[in-house]
Amino acid sequence: MADWRPNMISAVCYQDPKAALAFLEKAFGFELFMLIEDGEGKLAHSEMRYGDAAVMVGNEWSADHKSPRSIGGKNTQTIHLQIEEDVDAHCARARAAGAEIIMAPETQFYGDRTYRCRDPEGHIWTVGQTVKAVTREEAEQISGMKITGWV
């Protein structure tokens, strides 16, 4: 196994994880890093990478580990992907691959341009690109909110 491992990796469950792997590659540009299949060719474990980010993609495997498709579209997390390239073009790529765009690209008060989408099984993804350096004071003034911990 490679020496590099991120400190945190989100794991998402799908009814059809192999279709999810293909979607994540086509829509977002993830690359397959690891694929483990059982003796029947069913996915046992997988990891995909995007730059220095990673995500585990797996099957539904217990009553508590389900795809949003299996539980009425409910989500317990939103997965955020920070990119360096053109976020508008990335959004168009995701839409063309079958993502439902639920928030078109929009520049946020903190300097990122972001969009939000839903994958074919209902996971919600937010994708952002920093387009402007913003200080904490500027963000507070624009948003009207008190912000602590801004680096």
Side-chain angles (χ1 to χ4, degrees), residues 20-30 48 90 93-98:
L21 295 173
F23 171 81
L24 294 172
E25 180 179 352
K26 185 175 181 181
F28 300 142
F30 275 92
M48 298 192 87
H90 195 278
R93 173 183 177 161
R95 180 182 284 117

Side-chain angles (χ1 to χ4, degrees), residues 16-19 21 35-45 59:
D16 186 347
K18 287 188 176 179
L21 295 173
L35 176 67
I36 301 172
E37 297 175 304
D38 67 15
E40 298 173 0
K42 294 180 183 174
L43 188 138
H45 177 78
N59 291 299

Side-chain angles (χ1 to χ4, degrees), residues 99-133:
E100 173 194 355
I101 306 304
I102 54 180
M103 185 189 88
E106 185 177 309
T107 302
Q108 306 299 319
F109 69 89
Y110 47 86
D112 281 9
R113 186 163 177 78
T114 64
Y115 76 91
R116 190 172 304 118
C117 67
R118 189 181 317 272
D119 73 22
E121 288 204 22
H123 294 283
I124 296 174
W125 297 76
T126 301
V127 180
Q129 174 194 14
T130 301
V131 295
K132 179 182 178 189

